[in-house]
């Protein structure tokens, strides 16, 4: 069985007629349409977004999504959450009664309670699949604000387990065009904190450097003790291995702040540290 199969690779997208391009996606090469406004691409992204493992919206099958795109009701992820504006028209569609429309609207409401890893996975960031999304969510402690801060500030994504340069570049490239969309989309969601059965190891794998004055903790030693009791490490100097620099004066020009910025280490204040600790 050594027969080779030769495929003709289309140079234009069968849906929008846009140019195609071969891109590397993890270990495989995929043919993609380069038109950002391609309805076929939108359908693919929306189908992924609503699927069970992701945002999980029952009642939005691929065929339904396609119909809503054609009707102009869906042009983005956010539009899913304004579908209720079209209820009067929706109930008149073939195959949609009041019951199924109500079911759909309920499913959309329910989906607004999600976890950060599902949300990140839903975005279809190139190279960021389910497991990478989980790694990111874990790193930022399931907290959207921490994640968003890293997204919009210089941050070295290779600090995360199994993240290499190409993944780092992919996230940064994605952020350029999409950070506003990500922020606006997140406003529809409440992020459940990950289930931690035991609180004793919630900071495992994270290394902190603490600098400057503290307000909640009496002193740095007290903060250090607390972090270590939760499995985290505290180090005296900022390096590429630092997960977070804790500093209440984010704009400080201290050596540690400078170093952290140079290395793309996340700088958080005490309130953000407490948020991680108090889960
Ligand atoms: Zn296309």
């Amino acid at each position: 069985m050594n027969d080779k199969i030769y495929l003709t690779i289309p140079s234009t997208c069968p849906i929008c007629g846009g140019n195609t391009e071969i891109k590397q996606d993890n270990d495989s090469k995929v043919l993609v349409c380069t038109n950002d406004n391609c309805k076929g691409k939108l359908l693919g992204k929306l189908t992924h977004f609503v699927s069970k493992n992701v945002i999980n919206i029952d009642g939005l099958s691929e065929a339904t999504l396609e119909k809503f795109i054609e009707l102009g009701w869906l042009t983005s992820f956010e539009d899913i959450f304004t579908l209720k504006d079209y209820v009067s028209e929706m109930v008149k569609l073939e195959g949609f009664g009041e019951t199924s429309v109500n079911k759909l609207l309920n499913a959309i409401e329910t989906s607004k309670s999600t976890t950060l890893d599902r949300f990140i996975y839903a975005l279809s960031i190139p190279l960021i699949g389910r497991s990478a999304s989980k790694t990111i969510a874990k790193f930022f402690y399931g907290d959207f604000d921490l994640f968003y801060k890293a997204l919009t500030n210089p941050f070295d994504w290779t600090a995360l387990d199994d993240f290499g340069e190409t993944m780092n570049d992919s996230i940064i490239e994605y952020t350029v065009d999409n950070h506003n969309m990500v922020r606006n989309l997140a406003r529809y969601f409440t992020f459940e904190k990950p289930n931690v059965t035991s609180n004793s190891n919630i900071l495992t794998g994270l290394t902190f450097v603490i600098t400057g004055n503290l307000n909640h903790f009496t002193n740095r030693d007290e903060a250090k003790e607390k972090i270590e009791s939760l499995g985290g490490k505290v180090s005296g100097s900022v390096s590429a291995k630092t997960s977070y620099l804790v500093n209440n004066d984010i704009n400080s020009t201290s050596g540690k702040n400078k170093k952290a910025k140079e290395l793309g280490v996340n700088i958080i204040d005490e309130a953000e540290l407490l948020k991680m600790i108090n889960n």
Side-chain angles (χ1 to χ4, degrees):
M1 297 292 278
N2 280 324
D3 296 342
K4 282 197 176 122
I5 300 167
Y6 291 94
L7 296 169
T8 317
I9 297 172
S11 60
T12 54
C13 170
I15 295 170
C16 73
N19 290 328
T20 60
E21 187 182 284
I22 294 170
K23 276 200 169 171
Q24 191 75 30
D25 186 9
N26 287 323
D27 296 331
S28 39
K29 284 189 159 67
V30 288
L31 186 68
V32 294
C33 168
T34 56
N35 173 10
D36 284 335
N37 300 313
C38 173
K39 285 182 178 172
K41 270 163 83 175
L42 178 65
L43 179 61
K45 282 185 190 167
L46 288 171
T47 306
H48 170 72
F49 188 94
V50 304
S51 59
K52 213 169 176 58
N53 286 333
V54 194
I55 297 299
N56 189 18
I57 304 177
D58 214 15
L60 283 179
S61 65
E62 192 167 349
T64 302
L65 288 170
E66 200 172 2
K67 189 180 281 177
F68 290 179
I69 291 171
E70 278 315 310
L71 288 163
W73 298 351
L74 290 176
T75 59
S76 65
F77 297 142
E78 275 179 77
D79 285 350
I80 292 175
F81 301 98
T82 52
L83 275 176
K84 51 179 176 296
D85 298 349
Y86 302 100
V87 165
S88 55
E89 291 156 82
M90 212 183 280
V91 289
K92 288 180 208 144
L93 291 177
E94 206 190 307
F96 282 82
E98 220 165 286
T99 319
S100 51
V101 170
N102 282 335
K103 258 191 184 167
L104 170 59
L105 295 181
N106 280 334
I108 292 172
E109 275 313 301
T110 311
S111 79
K112 290 181 176 174
S113 176
T114 193
T115 52
L116 185 62
D117 65 296
R118 281 175 179 255
F119 177 83
I120 294 169
Y121 187 31
L123 297 174
S124 290
I125 304 170
L127 302 180
I128 306 303
R130 199 174 176 189
S131 122
S133 301
K134 283 189 173 165
T135 305
I136 298 174
K138 199 174 163 214
F139 189 87
F140 296 109
Y141 217 63
D143 186 279
F144 175 79
D145 295 332
L146 285 175
F147 162 65
Y148 190 71
K149 196 167 164 182
L151 213 54
T152 48
N153 282 290
F155 179 71
D156 180 3
W157 295 89
T158 63
L160 277 69
D161 275 349
D162 297 327
F163 276 54
E165 287 299 336
T166 47
M167 284 162 90
N168 179 65
D169 296 349
S170 176
I171 298 174
I172 292 169
E173 197 187 316
Y174 175 87
T175 307
V176 176
D177 292 329
N178 295 291
H179 64 98
N180 284 325
M181 180 278 284
V182 171
R183 190 194 55 223
N184 294 335
L185 182 64
R187 292 194 178 130
Y188 291 100
F189 291 96
T190 332
F191 296 98
E192 301 158 24
K193 288 296 158 75
N195 272 332
V196 186
T197 39
S198 148
N199 249 13
S200 63
N201 57 358
I202 48 174
L203 301 181
T204 300
L206 301 180
T207 303
F208 295 82
V209 173
I210 306 166
T211 188
N213 292 324
L214 297 174
N215 308 319
H216 171 84
F217 293 105
T218 322
N219 51 43
R220 285 184 214 166
D221 280 341
E222 195 187 296
K224 182 175 185 226
E225 212 168 283
K226 182 69 184 172
I227 290 170
E228 286 173 350
S229 76
L230 297 170
K233 280 188 204 147
V234 176
S235 150
S237 58
V238 176
S239 75
K241 298 233 182 295
T242 308
S243 318
Y244 293 99
L245 172 66
V246 182
N247 186 350
N248 282 323
D249 180 10
I250 302 277
N251 299 316
S252 146
T253 51
S254 76
K256 282 185 175 125
N257 265 47
K258 265 191 203 157
K259 190 86 192 276
K261 278 178 188 152
E262 262 169 44
L263 294 170
V265 168
N266 231 16
I267 305 173
I268 60 171
D269 59 20
E270 207 178 349
E272 287 169 304
L273 172 66
L274 288 169
K275 223 154 76 169
M276 296 169 89
I277 291 173
N278 295 323
N279 189 22

